[in-house]
Amino acid sequence: MRKENKKYIFITGNRKGIGRHLTEYYLGHGHGVLGCSRKESDFVHENYHHFVCDITDEKGVKQVIRSVRSDFGKVDVLINNAGVASLNHSLLTPGSTVKKVFETNFYGSFYFARECAKMMRNTGGRIVNFSTVAVPMNLEGEMVYASSKAAVEKMTKILAKELAPFDITVNAIAPSPVYTDLIKTVPEDKIRGLLHKQAIRRLGTFEDIENVLDFFISEKSSFITGQIIYLGGL
């Protein structure tokens, strides 16, 4: 199963949405792709392997990465795509929602970044986290979601410094809304209001995200780390 000269990209939360698209995109470019979600995936490809994993479970994440090390030998790129959103007034937000959002968006990203970085220490690598334009926009109703992603941004900047001696870069992409399950329940007027604050007033696309990710993980980007790129022109 192991192929020494093959580049492997691990994408979390890739059963559908952005993660599923990126899986197909990078497979189409000849990479090996590993992915995970809480449920089995129906996606089948000779260069794809799926793990069933709850990213908020630290022991589960460690077991997945142990399996990756054993079966594939390395991870060259980690894309921390998995995440959940919350849209509610702070006074109406239960603690259970806060816990779920932070465990998924921050804890899960941290667990995977830490464990993959341990494998990358000897060979170098790329870690790309997902943030959101909701962080700088300070949008009402998105306090919990934006706060969890603000934590991801701070993690990105500090990990970039801590992992630089190992030739591991750590960056983050912060998309504007892309039409996926994550925003299907957001009222249309909220989406219009958000787009009105952007310089380019449209929803993001999968291709917009591909462009930034390709830049971050390129071999030519070894001098790019600790950066957050916001899409849409804030």
Side-chain angles (χ1 to χ4, degrees):
M1 186 178 293
R2 184 178 301 177
K3 299 180 181 179
E4 298 295 343
N5 297 320
K6 191 162 192 171
K7 179 173 285 189
Y8 284 100
I9 301 174
F10 199 113
I11 304 172
T12 66
N14 71 327
R15 191 170 62 89
K16 55 186 178 179
I18 293 172
R20 174 67 169 263
H21 176 84
L22 293 175
T23 297
E24 297 177 4
Y25 174 74
Y26 285 114
L27 285 169
H29 282 71
H31 298 297
V33 178
L34 313 172
C36 71
S37 63
R38 287 177 295 177
K39 299 179 181 179
E40 289 285 358
S41 174
D42 61 359
F43 183 74
V44 177
H45 189 284
E46 62 179 348
N47 292 320
Y48 176 69
H49 185 83
H50 191 80
F51 295 90
V52 176
C53 174
D54 181 348
I55 67 169
T56 70
D57 177 7
E58 184 176 9
K59 290 182 179 179
V61 172
K62 287 183 177 181
Q63 181 57 53
V64 165
I65 301 305
R66 278 196 293 267
S67 296
V68 171
R69 186 192 299 274
S70 173
D71 293 342
F72 302 95
K74 63 175 183 174
V75 166
D76 301 288
V77 177
L78 167 67
I79 299 176
N80 264 323
N81 165 73
V84 295
S86 172
L87 181 63
N88 205 359
H89 193 287
S90 301
L91 299 184
L92 301 175
T93 302
S96 59
T97 296
V98 179
K99 185 173 185 289
K100 177 183 177 181
V101 171
F102 267 84
E103 285 183 341
T104 303
N105 295 349
F106 179 73
Y107 284 52
S109 294
F110 169 68
Y111 293 151
F112 265 97
R114 182 189 65 192
E115 297 307 309
C116 285
K118 291 176 182 177
M119 273 203 299
M120 294 175 177
R121 279 185 296 182
N122 296 322
T123 58
R126 302 279 190 266
I127 296 174
V128 184
N129 298 318
F130 265 70
S131 183
T132 171
V133 295
V135 173
M137 284 185 174
N138 298 316
L139 299 170
E140 298 95 334
E142 296 194 23
M143 186 274 289
V144 174
Y145 176 56
S147 295
S148 71
K149 291 298 189 177
V152 169
E153 291 189 8
K154 183 59 66 177
M155 176 182 72
T156 298
K157 291 179 176 292
I158 294 175
L159 277 181
K161 291 186 175 182
E162 293 182 342
L163 300 180
F166 305 109
D167 294 323
I168 301 170
T169 65
V170 188
N171 294 288
I173 179 173
S176 55
V178 177
Y179 191 74
T180 64
D181 287 348
L182 201 63
I183 70 164
K184 281 182 179 179
T185 59
V186 179
E188 189 175 336
D189 62 320
K190 290 285 186 181
I191 297 296
R192 284 199 304 268
L194 190 154
L195 296 181
H196 187 74
K197 296 180 180 180
Q198 296 177 183
I200 303 172
R201 296 174 182 175
R202 66 166 173 82
L203 290 173
T205 66
F206 293 142
E207 289 73 22
D208 296 324
I209 293 172
E210 291 167 8
N211 180 47
V212 178
L213 290 177
D214 284 346
F215 168 66
F216 279 149
I217 73 175
S218 168
E219 292 183 5
K220 296 180 179 180
S221 295
S222 61
F223 204 48
I224 308 297
T225 196
Q227 304 303 305
I228 293 110
I229 291 185
Y230 298 102
L231 300 186
L234 297 183

